[in-house]
Amino acid sequence: YSAEPSQAPVQWTANWIWPSVKAIPVHDNQFVQFRKTFRLEKAPEKASLDIFADSRYQLFVNGDLVGRGPARSPMYWGYYDVFDVGSKLHAGLNVIAVEVRWFGTPLAWYRPFPGGWKHGSLVCQLDIGQGETKKVIQTDSTWKATEDHSWDWKTPPVDDCCLAPME
């Protein structure tokens, strides 16, 4: 599945989001999972999803990996990615899920934006249909998030009650 360049720049109505630092304290090399559920009356003929995250993301629609990003861009200038996701959506309940990895510290291939946030960020906008029937699903305060601690399994303390035993 590949990202295709947009014919025209997206008209952003989405908000930049990140969980409250009171709910999920910020630290370097942080993985945060975002999720938005929504209902559609019928499967769309056309749907375009635009996305950008600081620092990296994996995008899933209804459980299918749609893409990773963001696209490479010049230092301090971010390009957003565009995905045609019409075939991934259906009538009924749908889910957009995004895992964002925030590096939090300068690396050889990453520099935080000067004067930017002191945490990661995500902006995502799904445009379904066109004209008067157009529906927009966008990042806002209705999205849910949790920190992904799966990378922490190798350092104590670990509650291994739910890990499977070996045969």
Side-chain angles (χ1 to χ4, degrees):
Y1 208 77
S2 64
E4 295 295 331
S6 178
Q7 296 298 323
V10 65
Q11 298 300 308
W12 289 103
T13 58
N15 299 293
W16 291 94
I17 61 171
W18 197 256
S20 160
V21 295
K22 291 180 182 177
I24 301 176
V26 175
H27 58 85
D28 291 350
N29 199 35
Q30 187 169 33
F31 290 80
V32 176
Q33 297 169 326
F34 296 85
R35 181 179 166 98
K36 175 67 178 179
T37 59
F38 59 96
R39 292 193 174 278
L40 295 175
E41 291 183 22
K42 62 179 185 173
E45 292 180 23
K46 180 179 179 180
S48 177
L49 190 144
D50 304 288
I51 185 170
F52 179 84
D54 181 2
S55 305
R56 298 286 183 260
Y57 72 82
Q58 291 189 97
L59 168 66
F60 299 84
V61 175
N62 290 326
D64 292 336
L65 176 62
V66 173
R68 295 179 173 94
R72 293 276 182 175
S73 57
M75 189 180 307
Y76 307 135
W77 185 266
Y79 294 127
Y80 63 91
D81 297 309
V82 180
F83 296 96
D84 177 358
V85 296
S87 65
K88 304 287 184 191
L89 301 171
H90 54 259
L93 187 64
N94 289 270
V95 177
I96 299 171
V98 184
E99 181 169 59
V100 176
R101 178 182 184 188
W102 181 58
F103 295 132
T105 189
L107 302 167
W109 58 90
Y110 170 78
R111 295 285 183 258
F113 292 98
W117 296 288
K118 303 297 183 211
H119 54 70
S121 57
L122 169 66
V123 64
C124 179
Q125 182 168 313
L126 172 62
D127 293 311
I128 303 168
Q130 298 177 20
E132 293 180 16
T133 61
K134 182 177 177 179
K135 182 173 184 163
V136 178
I137 307 297
Q138 62 198 14
T139 45
D140 59 21
S141 62
T142 64
W143 284 55
K144 304 295 183 193
T146 187
E147 186 168 8
D148 180 358
H149 293 282
S150 61
W151 292 99
D152 297 339
W153 68 270
K154 60 190 178 301
T155 58
V158 172
D159 181 2
D160 60 1
C161 71
C162 300
L163 300 177
M166 300 298 115
E167 294 183 8

